[in-house]
Each structure stands twice: as structure tokens, then as C-alpha cells.
Amino acid sequence: MPKDCEKLLKKKSHILEDRKTGSKASVRLENKAQTKFTVIEFDGCKMENQTACDYVVTTEKQALYVELKGSDVRKAHKQVLVAANYYKKSHSSKSKIGIIAFTGRPKESSFIQTQKRALMLKHKLKIICERSPVTHKL
């Protein structure tokens, strides 16, 4: 993996944006305790030639799989699942959360609810699917 795919940070706040596609979706990470966390540019850097979520953020206790989207939440769920499966063994002891920040109007709210339940039961992966900007406390 190229070194520029991964950054170790210790900041009170960090914003994840998709600079490549110009998506206006964003996730703000709040880190008041200033614990160390790693931000991995997953799609297009760590994971090339495959559709995957935009970022993976890890702390000692958490793994976040972050997808920044317009309105295609069905595709976003699949992208988050690619990262969760990729890190299945190395993140087995961490609390796993998929964060989907979208800017459009997702058409399938019943799909979102069904996916949340299925991913929690099958993969122990909690899904947060909200209109951007999304704030998450580390």
C-alpha cells in the first residue's frame, strides 16, 4: 500500500470529503480526547480497481467504514460491505460502524431499514445512514 493512503492523526476534529468526485457529502469526526486515529483512503488508493467505500477510520476500539454519496444508498451499502469484508479478521475485536453520508434523496427508506438489521445480525456492523454533513464522535 502506498504510504499516502494512510494517515495517523491526533486532532480534535477532522473532516472527510470526497475530493475526487466532487461530492458535497462529508463526515466530521469529533475527537475531544485527542486519541490517535488512522484515516485510510480506501477507494482508489488502498483498494484499486474495485468499488469500495471512500474511507476507513480506525481507533484502538472502533473501525469506521465511510461512504460519501449522492443518493444511491443501495450502492453505498455494498461499498461499505466490501471494506468490512476486507478487514474482517483484523477488525474482529473492534466495534464496526458503516457511515453513509448522502446529499440527495434516497429512494429506498425501507431498504435502508432492512439493510441496517441484516448487516448488524450477519456482520455485527452498525449502519448510520444520514443526510450530509454527518458528525461522529470517536
Side-chain angles (χ1 to χ4, degrees):
M1 170 177 67
K3 280 194 172 208
D4 58 348
C5 291
E6 195 170 310
K7 294 177 188 169
L8 180 62
L9 302 170
K10 189 178 178 180
K11 305 165 54 169
K12 283 187 180 181
S13 177
H14 185 72
I15 297 176
L16 301 172
E17 300 172 303
D18 190 353
R19 294 180 212 109
K20 293 176 209 150
T21 65
S23 170
K24 294 185 173 141
S26 66
V27 172
R28 177 189 169 112
L29 302 172
E30 288 186 355
N31 183 22
K32 291 182 181 180
Q34 290 190 357
T35 58
K36 290 180 184 178
F37 63 98
T38 303
V39 176
I40 302 166
E41 287 187 42
F42 196 66
D43 185 22
C45 196
K46 172 90 173 153
M47 179 66 69
E48 294 182 303
N49 303 320
Q50 186 174 345
T51 302
C53 68
D54 297 309
Y55 295 96
V56 174
V57 179
T58 60
T59 66
E60 193 175 302
K61 297 178 182 178
Q62 281 186 24
L64 309 175
Y65 311 111
V66 180
E67 176 59 25
L68 308 171
K69 244 336 166 215
S71 60
D72 192 351
V73 294
R74 186 178 289 265
K75 183 176 179 184
H77 278 87
K78 290 177 185 176
Q79 290 172 278
V80 165
L81 194 53
V82 166
N85 284 330
Y86 183 88
Y87 287 106
K88 190 173 187 172
K89 288 183 181 177
S90 60
H91 292 173
S92 64
S93 64
K94 297 180 186 288
S95 166
K96 295 173 273 308
I97 302 171
I99 300 176
I100 299 168
F102 58 88
T103 57
R105 297 179 185 262
K107 298 171 186 134
E108 306 176 66
S109 60
S110 62
F111 171 79
I112 293 170
Q113 296 304 318
T114 304
Q115 281 298 102
K116 281 182 178 182
R117 258 184 260 110
L119 291 172
M120 179 56 90
L121 291 171
K122 189 174 181 181
H123 300 281
K124 295 183 181 167
L125 174 65
K126 178 183 176 186
I127 294 288
I128 298 169
C129 188
E130 296 178 5
R131 184 170 308 284
S132 179
V134 174
T135 300
H136 182 76
K137 294 177 183 174
L138 294 178

